[in-house]
Amino acid sequence: MERGRPSDHADHDRRRPVRRLGVVTHAGALRRARLRVTWWCLRAALGASLLLLAAVALVVGPRADADHRRLIDSAPRSAVTVVDVRPGRGSPQIDVDVEGRTETLGLGFPGDNRAEVGDVVEVVVDPDDPAVVLPVAGHDDWTYTPLGSAVLGVAVAVLALAVGVPLMIAPRPRALLGAARPRVVRDGAVVVAQDDVVTFDADGTRWTWSGSDGWRPRRGKPVVVLGDLRDGGLVLLDDGRTRWPATRVQQGGASGQGVGGE
């Protein structure tokens, strides 16, 4: 049996790209920067959606409660029989027999967790929409009092602000667009790092860059420089992880300008 020529395997190995561990490539740095920007955009959208939903709930909720209160106070009352009780979120889903048809109560009421088939419940029916059936005791709870409504409203607002605002804390869309589509990618090297301020060299010129994540690279560490490398430009550094700036880059030792500045 004839053996394969060793030179064929050697040629194949020479053609295969060699990946050196610890070396940051331009393609990898660009991919990480775009993923970081995409994540920030999704976070900001989620935070905005949460704040919008909270605002809608704070406006629509009291109006719905007021409509229910008017219906309970004004509509004729009747006694109906419970025909089914199903587990629900917060309160059970209770079906009642209303003039031969089965309807689900639109509100819970005190003691509804102990309701059983055959129990009698006093209800009102919306004359404009017979499918809306509310228990008369539906608002006999502290949450429907002025104090209870105020407490719930404040709780919803505080929760939405506490969660939504941090999610929306991100650079302005213009800055994100610039970071996602850097015009130039360069190789650089760290000259010195003190606190959050990093001085790096790129193309024979020194630049001052301030980070936002406490990154303190060692002297001489190679980095990939992404973005518009000029005074006041938006520049990201990558050492295997995308480093977002807290300030705009400046040539030499000049102080930076805020990333969100125009």
Side-chain angles (χ1 to χ4, degrees):
M1 180 180 297
E2 183 179 355
R3 297 181 179 179
R5 292 181 301 170
S7 59
D8 292 341
H9 297 287
D11 291 342
H12 177 72
D13 292 339
R14 281 195 296 268
R15 290 193 299 267
R16 181 182 300 170
V18 179
R19 182 179 180 181
R20 294 177 293 170
L21 296 178
V23 176
V24 181
T25 64
H26 290 188
L30 283 168
R31 183 178 64 255
R32 283 186 292 273
R34 287 164 182 162
L35 286 174
R36 180 85 175 264
V37 169
T38 300
W39 165 240
W40 255 326
C41 291
L42 291 175
R43 269 186 44 174
L46 179 61
S49 300
L50 180 61
L51 292 177
L52 179 61
L53 287 175
V56 170
L58 290 174
V59 172
V60 175
R63 290 181 179 177
D65 290 343
D67 291 341
H68 290 163
R69 182 75 263 176
R70 282 193 295 270
L71 180 61
I72 292 173
D73 291 341
S74 61
R77 301 182 178 188
S78 59
V80 298
T81 303
V82 175
V83 296
D84 190 21
V85 180
R86 304 184 307 278
R89 182 178 300 176
S91 297
Q93 297 292 313
I94 299 177
D95 292 343
V96 295
D97 178 68
V98 182
E99 298 179 350
R101 68 181 190 278
T102 300
E103 301 290 354
T104 301
L105 295 182
L107 290 175
F109 57 90
D112 58 0
N113 58 330
R114 298 187 299 273
E116 297 179 352
V117 174
D119 289 350
V120 176
V121 181
E122 191 175 21
V123 301
V124 295
V125 179
D126 188 344
D128 297 327
D129 185 359
V132 177
V133 180
L134 304 179
V136 172
H139 277 202
D140 292 351
D141 188 85
W142 77 273
T143 56
Y144 293 102
T145 64
L147 176 60
S149 298
V151 170
L152 288 179
V154 170
V156 170
V158 170
L159 180 62
L161 291 173
V163 177
V165 171
L167 289 175
M168 292 182 63
I169 295 178
R172 295 182 181 180
R174 183 175 177 182
L176 288 175
L177 181 62
R181 299 175 180 175
R183 300 174 184 174
V184 180
V185 181
R186 300 177 175 84
D187 290 314
V190 174
V191 176
V192 64
Q194 184 176 5
D195 296 330
D196 290 331
V197 178
V198 176
T199 300
F200 67 90
D201 180 278
D203 297 335
T205 303
R206 291 190 176 187
W207 301 87
T208 298
W209 180 94
S210 181
S212 59
D213 59 359
W215 177 52
R216 294 178 178 84
R218 59 176 173 79
R219 179 184 179 90
K221 184 177 182 64
V223 293
V224 173
V225 183
L226 304 98
D228 191 10
L229 192 55
R230 59 177 177 80
D231 275 341
L234 176 67
V235 170
L236 283 69
L237 299 183
D238 191 299
D239 64 333
R241 176 182 172 185
T242 302
R243 307 292 179 175
W244 187 267
T247 61
R248 301 274 179 168
V249 72
Q250 295 292 333
Q251 186 172 351
S255 59
Q257 175 188 357
V259 170
E262 295 296 339

